[in-house]
Amino acid sequence: MDLGSRLPRYTSRHTSTVMTPTTPWELTAGLRIQRDEIVIAVEGDDARTWLNGQMTNDLKRLAEGTGVYGLVLTIKGRVLADLFAFERGGALFFCVDRAVWPALHEQLEKYIIMEDVSLRETTLRTISVCGARVGELDLAPLAALGASVVKHARLGPSLEVVVEERELAAAIEAASAAIGALRAGDAEIDDAEWERARISMGVPRFPVDFGD
C-alpha cells in the first residue's frame, strides 16, 4: 500500500494546490506565538458594516469563534495591509502586523466619516495552533484563562487562541500540553519553519509578497 495515500491532505485557501504534510507539527499540531501582531477592537453600532467595506473578504457570515483573512486596499487598489478579522464575545476584532498598524490606522481613520465606529488597541494576544490534527486537541483548560478559540485557516487547518497578555504564558503552557498529548518534542513552530510552511502553502504575507 502506498503510505502517502494514507497521510492527511489539505488545500491552501489561496491556491488550488493539494499538499501533503510532512513535518511532525503538520502531521499533528504545533503552535506559533504571533509576537509581531497587534489586536484591534472595532467598536460602535456600524462596526461590522464599516469593516466589511474596508476588507476584500465578506464579513457577513462571520460568527462567534470564526475568523476570515482579507486585504485592506486604497481606492486605487493598492494594498495597505493584510489582516485576520474575528468575532469574540459578540465583539469584532482584527489582528495585523504591529509595524504596519500606525500607517494603516491613519488611513482607516480617514474612512470613518458619519459611521459610529472607533478603533481601539487591545492587550489581547494570539497563538496560532496549526496542523492536520488540531481538531483532536483538548483546549478546554484555556477557558479558565478567559481565552477564546477561533477557527481559522491561517496556515492549513488552524485555530487561533485569543487571550489577554497577562495570561499568555499560561495559555502557551496549556496549548503545549495539549499538543504534547499528540506528539513529543517542542510544540512551538520556529520562524524559519513557519516561513517555509507559509511559502509552500502559498499563503501570502504583507509586505513581503505584495505592497509597494
Side-chain angles (χ1 to χ4, degrees), residues 105-123:
H105 189 191
E106 182 178 355
Q107 289 297 317
L108 289 178
E109 288 289 349
K110 295 178 182 179
Y111 301 145
I112 302 174
I113 303 173
M114 299 292 290
E115 298 88 353
D116 177 16
V117 174
S118 62
L119 303 173
R120 177 177 59 85
E121 297 181 13
T122 75
T123 55

Side-chain angles (χ1 to χ4, degrees), residues 31 127 142 145 167-179:
L31 66 84
I127 306 168
L142 290 168
L145 304 174
E167 300 288 3
L168 179 62
I172 294 170
E173 183 178 354
S176 297
I179 293 169

Side-chain angles (χ1 to χ4, degrees), residues 9-125:
R9 310 175 85 191
Y10 50 84
T11 304
S12 167
R13 58 185 163 83
H14 300 284
T15 73
S16 59
T17 304
V18 176
M19 293 153 289
T20 300
T22 57
T23 62
W25 73 264
E26 288 176 298
L27 290 166
T28 53
L31 66 84
R32 167 78 173 182
I33 307 158
Q34 300 296 349
R35 297 180 175 89
D36 296 330
E37 293 186 351
I38 186 171
V39 179
I40 307 300
V42 187
E43 300 172 323
D45 291 342
D46 301 321
R48 184 180 293 266
T49 54
W50 177 85
L51 186 59
N52 193 55
Q54 310 308 316
M55 290 182 63
T56 55
N57 215 331
D58 189 359
L59 300 184
K60 293 178 182 177
R61 295 185 179 181
L62 193 65
E64 181 71 24
T66 64
V68 297
Y69 170 86
L71 304 178
V72 179
L73 310 175
T74 65
I75 295 176
K76 295 184 178 180
R78 181 172 66 88
V79 178
L80 293 174
D82 61 349
L83 52 84
F84 297 89
F86 60 92
E87 187 169 315
R88 178 181 191 262
L92 190 60
F93 300 85
F94 65 80
C95 48
V96 65
D97 191 303
R98 193 176 298 272
V100 171
W101 171 238
L104 177 63
H105 189 191
E106 182 178 355
Q107 289 297 317
L108 289 178
E109 288 289 349
K110 295 178 182 179
Y111 301 145
I112 302 174
I113 303 173
M114 299 292 290
E115 298 88 353
D116 177 16
V117 174
S118 62
L119 303 173
R120 177 177 59 85
E121 297 181 13
T122 75
T123 55
L124 293 171
R125 299 293 300 276

